[in-house]
Protein backbone atom coordinates (compact mmCIF):
# COMPACT_ATOMS: atom_id res chain seq x y z
CA UNK A 1 0.00 0.00 0.00
CA UNK A 2 1.25 3.47 -0.84
CA UNK A 3 1.90 6.04 1.84
CA UNK A 4 0.17 9.40 1.93
CA UNK A 5 3.29 11.13 0.65
CA UNK A 6 3.67 8.59 -2.19
CA UNK A 7 0.04 9.15 -3.18
CA UNK A 8 0.53 12.94 -3.08
CA UNK A 9 3.63 12.70 -5.26
CA UNK A 10 1.78 10.40 -7.68
CA UNK A 11 -1.23 12.73 -7.83
CA UNK A 12 1.07 15.67 -8.54
CA UNK A 13 2.77 13.66 -11.30
CA UNK A 14 -0.62 12.91 -12.85
CA UNK A 15 -1.57 16.61 -12.70
CA UNK A 16 1.77 17.61 -14.24
CA UNK A 17 1.38 15.17 -17.10
CA UNK A 18 -2.15 16.41 -17.78
CA UNK A 19 -0.91 20.01 -17.70
CA UNK A 20 2.00 19.26 -20.05
CA UNK A 21 -0.22 17.48 -22.55
CA UNK A 22 -2.86 20.23 -22.44
CA UNK A 23 -0.13 22.76 -23.28
CA UNK A 24 0.93 20.55 -26.17
CA UNK A 25 -2.66 20.33 -27.42
CA UNK A 26 -3.06 24.10 -27.14
CA UNK A 27 -0.02 24.44 -29.41
CA UNK A 28 -1.55 21.89 -31.81
CA UNK A 29 -4.77 23.92 -31.84
CA UNK A 30 -2.82 27.13 -32.51
CA UNK A 31 -0.88 25.47 -35.34
CA UNK A 32 -4.12 24.14 -36.82
CA UNK A 33 -5.48 27.68 -36.90
CA UNK A 34 -2.36 28.84 -38.72
CA UNK A 35 -2.70 25.96 -41.19
CA UNK A 36 -6.37 26.74 -41.76
CA UNK A 37 -5.54 30.37 -42.55
CA UNK A 38 -2.76 29.39 -44.96
CA UNK A 39 -5.02 26.87 -46.69
CA UNK A 40 -7.88 29.37 -46.94
CA UNK A 41 -5.56 31.75 -48.81
CA UNK A 42 -4.84 29.27 -51.62
CA UNK A 43 -7.87 30.19 -53.79
CA UNK A 44 -6.89 33.87 -53.64
CA UNK A 45 -3.13 33.48 -53.81
CA UNK A 46 -3.30 31.08 -56.76
CA UNK A 47 -6.60 32.21 -58.27
CA UNK A 48 -5.17 32.95 -61.70
CA UNK A 49 -3.49 29.54 -61.95
CA UNK A 50 -6.63 27.75 -60.75
CA UNK A 51 -8.81 29.67 -63.23
CA UNK A 52 -6.46 28.91 -66.09
CA UNK A 53 -6.41 25.19 -65.29
CA UNK A 54 -10.19 25.09 -64.88
CA UNK A 55 -10.49 26.55 -68.39
CA UNK A 56 -8.33 23.75 -69.83
CA UNK A 57 -9.92 21.14 -72.04
CA UNK A 58 -9.32 17.41 -71.90
CA UNK A 59 -8.15 16.68 -75.46
CA UNK A 60 -4.60 17.99 -74.99
CA UNK A 61 -2.66 15.47 -72.87
CA UNK A 62 -0.85 18.14 -70.85
CA UNK A 63 -4.01 20.08 -70.10
CA UNK A 64 -5.91 16.92 -69.20
CA UNK A 65 -3.11 15.84 -66.87
CA UNK A 66 -2.92 19.21 -65.13
CA UNK A 67 -6.70 19.39 -64.83
CA UNK A 68 -6.76 15.92 -63.24
CA UNK A 69 -4.00 16.96 -60.85
CA UNK A 70 -5.96 20.05 -59.81
CA UNK A 71 -8.98 17.83 -59.11
CA UNK A 72 -6.86 15.60 -56.86
CA UNK A 73 -5.31 18.61 -55.11
CA UNK A 74 -8.78 20.06 -54.57
CA UNK A 75 -9.92 16.84 -52.89
CA UNK A 76 -6.82 16.85 -50.69
CA UNK A 77 -7.31 20.55 -49.91
CA UNK A 78 -10.92 20.06 -48.84
CA UNK A 79 -10.05 17.14 -46.55
CA UNK A 80 -7.08 18.92 -44.96
CA UNK A 81 -9.00 22.18 -44.49
CA UNK A 82 -11.83 20.30 -42.77
CA UNK A 83 -9.41 18.68 -40.32
CA UNK A 84 -7.49 21.91 -39.67
CA UNK A 85 -10.75 23.76 -38.99
CA UNK A 86 -11.97 21.02 -36.63
CA UNK A 87 -8.71 20.94 -34.67
CA UNK A 88 -8.58 24.75 -34.50
CA UNK A 89 -12.14 24.77 -33.13
CA UNK A 90 -11.55 21.99 -30.58
CA UNK A 91 -12.66 22.83 -27.06
CA UNK A 92 -9.75 22.10 -24.74
CA UNK A 93 -11.42 23.67 -21.72
Amino acid sequence: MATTSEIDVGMNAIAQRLYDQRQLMLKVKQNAGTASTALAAIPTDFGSVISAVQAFGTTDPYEASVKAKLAKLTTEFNALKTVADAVAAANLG
Side-chain angles (χ1 to χ4, degrees):
M1 180 161 213
T3 66
T4 301
S5 61
E6 290 171 327
I7 289 174
D8 281 348
V9 168
M11 294 296 288
N12 288 337
I14 292 168
Q16 184 65 52
R17 186 171 298 179
L18 288 171
Y19 172 81
D20 292 345
Q21 298 314 305
R22 181 174 307 282
Q23 297 312 303
L24 182 65
M25 291 303 299
L26 288 169
K27 184 65 175 170
V28 167
K29 180 177 172 161
Q30 179 184 4
N31 288 343
T34 300
S36 178
T37 299
L39 290 167
I42 288 174
T44 301
D45 293 348
F46 301 99
S48 61
V49 172
I50 293 168
S51 293
V53 172
Q54 288 172 334
F56 282 178
T58 55
T59 54
D60 178 272
Y62 172 77
E63 290 185 3
S65 173
V66 173
K67 195 167 193 167
K69 186 174 185 175
L70 178 61
K72 288 186 178 280
L73 289 174
T74 299
T75 299
E76 183 177 349
F77 165 85
N78 288 330
L80 188 57
K81 181 76 166 82
T82 298
V83 171
D85 289 346
V87 172
N91 181 356
L92 299 175

